[in-house]
Amino acid sequence: MSKMRLRGFESAPGQRHVSEEDRYLYRQEEPKHRLVVIGTGTMGQEHMRVAALLGRARIHGIYDSQPLSMDVAEANFRPLQPEPLVRYDDLASACNDPAADALLICTPNYTHFDVLQTAMKSGKPIFLEKPMATDLQDAAAIVRADKAYTAFIQIGLQYRYKPQYLEALAEALTRRSVGDVKTISVSEHRPPFLDKVDQWNKFERLSGGTLVEKCCHYFDLINLLAQARPGRVYATGGQAVNFLDFERNGVPSDIDDHAFVSIDYDNGIRASFTLNMFCPDFAEELVVVGDRGRLKATEEQDIHRSASGSASLTLRLGENGLSKTSDLTYPRAIEQSGHHGSTYFEHIALIDRLEGKEVDCATPMQGMWAMIVASAAQQSVASGQAVSIDRFIAENDLETLLN
Ligand SMILES: NC(=O)c1ccc[n+]([C@@H]2O[C@H](COP(=O)([O-])OP(=O)(O)OC[C@H]3O[C@@H](n4cnc5c(N)ncnc54)[C@H](O)[C@@H]3O)[C@@H](O)[C@H]2O)c1
């Protein structure tokens, strides 16, 4: 069993009089690994925070093309790690520091491919934020490169570790509680995309488009639950409310803020995904129905009222067996460290993998399949036609890679 942690006490002001020598429950192991974070904006800083909370790796250095991002990251991080951070002057130096064990790429989507090319020259293990690329050709090149890479590339699709989805995957796939899964419906209702450095997330060219940028998380989850290859995708969506008057250098924002997507899988499972991004608060819902019952996994957070959200899973088996509702949560420190605790468990997978253990984390191929569904959905929104995935794969020259 891993050593029990009591972080609530460990960091409480009333426990600071317990000297280093007397610390047993509160003692932190020396971190064994050193990480370099490339891109220290919102997500890069979440990874820094989570690594410090987990305590198995130290953040060794940071690199960002905008000095302000490094200044802010350093200032925010100082209370979490006493050792100073190395600040690199350029990407190649950040990637090739012999003192670093792994690289985390947290730059905007449109930079992932180029940054990854430099990062892979180091031969180090790489964590690459989602979506792996902004288009399918770059994603395919990453999958091919990964096959030949001696270290690993892990993709930042961490929603699979959110408490309600972890439980839903366990109920539906491990315990098979609802029987043979037949339908999967997912929805996300949330506020608009936040401000970003250079506002890259307001443009399809820079982000890959809303369904790729944001919704690859849900397509990854649906793919995991369906356990089959998507056969056909139909989607409708558009830009109804958000950023209608936003432009940069004369170019208007062109990202969708709502969509309905339906996916038919080759094993007969039908799935749907609903997105709305002009809501005042955050709400996610997953409903999986099989031939024995129904499960519903939810997460809600009213950001105007509370810093933390609530997650639950309800299982209804009717006369087939046990029904229950579970209130799900990670410990407060973990939940509040980012994305409701999922990033923390993604880091456990990353560090376990650095230590040579088998883990269940997102692979480049899984990232690619999430992008295929997302890109097919975007094509369907644009054309108004359903997209046959076989044809889509052939049109994009991906048959050898995927068949
Ligand atoms: N896994 C998740 O749930 C999740 C959540 C949010 C963001 N993300 C992903 O993380 C990535 C970063 O998003 P963010 O929200 O932190 O954006 P951000 O704009 O807040 O931060 C990106 C940072 O990268 C820097 N940057 C830009 N180009 C660079 C380059 N070539 N080299 C080095 N630094 C560069 C920017 O200056 C900025 O500081 C994106 O790919 C995004 O999709 C993932």
Side-chain angles (χ1 to χ4, degrees), residues 16 41 228 390:
R16 288 194 193 136
D390 278 347

Side-chain angles (χ1 to χ4, degrees), residues 33 58 102 115 128 133 156 180 200 256 328 359 361 365 396 401:
H33 311 279
R58 171 172 299 154
V115 173
L128 174 63
D180 282 344
W200 58 268
D256 293 341
L328 308 168
V359 297
C361 64
M365 187 57 106
N396 284 284
L401 185 67

Side-chain angles (χ1 to χ4, degrees), residues 31-38 56-63 85-88 90-105 119 121-127 149 151-152 350-351 354:
K32 291 201 181 77
H33 311 279
R34 287 163 187 248
L35 308 176
V36 164
V37 177
I38 298 161
R56 289 170 64 190
R58 171 172 299 154
I59 302 298
H60 179 70
I62 56 174
Y63 170 68
L85 298 169
V86 179
R87 271 177 75 138
Y88 302 99
D90 56 66
L91 178 62
S93 323
C95 293
N96 292 302
D97 184 338
D101 300 311
L103 310 172
L104 280 78
I105 301 174
K121 292 200 180 108
S122 72
K124 295 181 196 286
I126 296 170
F127 174 91
Y149 199 49
F152 65 81
L350 173 67
I351 304 301
L354 281 177

Side-chain angles (χ1 to χ4, degrees), residues 171-248:
E171 289 292 357
L173 301 183
T174 313
R175 300 184 73 188
R176 293 186 44 80
S177 311
V178 297
D180 282 344
V181 172
K182 300 293 180 190
T183 64
I184 302 166
S185 356
V186 176
S187 68
E188 182 186 33
H189 291 88
R190 57 159 286 169
F193 278 133
L194 305 181
D195 281 348
K196 294 287 159 195
V197 176
D198 291 331
Q199 296 288 16
W200 58 268
N201 60 353
K202 309 299 177 298
F203 301 96
E204 186 163 329
R205 185 177 60 83
L206 303 178
S207 67
T210 302
L211 294 176
V212 169
E213 145 56 14
K214 172 73 234 211
C215 310
C216 58
H217 277 304
Y218 303 103
F219 297 129
D220 176 54
L221 272 174
I222 296 172
N223 286 345
L224 282 176
L225 281 160
Q227 301 259 291
R229 194 177 157 114
R232 198 167 62 123
V233 172
Y234 173 74
T236 176
Q239 187 177 18
V241 175
N242 297 345
F243 311 116
L244 292 174
D245 60 352
F246 182 97
E247 58 167 53
R248 187 150 264 232

Side-chain angles (χ1 to χ4, degrees), residues 38-44 63-66 69 91 106-112 115 129-131 156-159 195-197 200 213 217 339 346:
I38 298 161
T40 56
T42 312
M43 201 57 203
Y63 170 68
D64 195 294
S65 52
Q66 174 180 266
S69 297
L91 178 62
C106 311
T107 56
N109 305 352
Y110 70 95
T111 66
H112 286 180
V115 173
E129 260 308 336
K130 56 54 45 181
L157 290 163
Q158 88 282 29
Y159 278 28
D195 281 348
K196 294 287 159 195
V197 176
W200 58 268
E213 145 56 14
H217 277 304
H339 284 64
E346 180 180 54

Side-chain angles (χ1 to χ4, degrees), residues 7 46-47 50-51 53-54 56 127 154 157-163 166 329-331 333-335 337-353 359-361:
R7 290 192 181 86
E46 180 165 318
H47 285 297
V50 164
L53 182 69
L54 180 59
R56 289 170 64 190
F127 174 91
Q154 179 173 329
L157 290 163
Q158 88 282 29
Y159 278 28
R160 53 178 77 189
Y161 304 116
K162 280 192 173 195
L166 197 69
T329 180
Y330 290 129
I334 294 175
E335 213 250 0
S337 65
H339 284 64
H340 303 273
S342 58
T343 311
Y344 181 89
F345 288 91
E346 180 180 54
H347 267 244
I348 293 181
L350 173 67
I351 304 301
D352 278 353
R353 207 159 169 201
V359 297
D360 170 27
C361 64

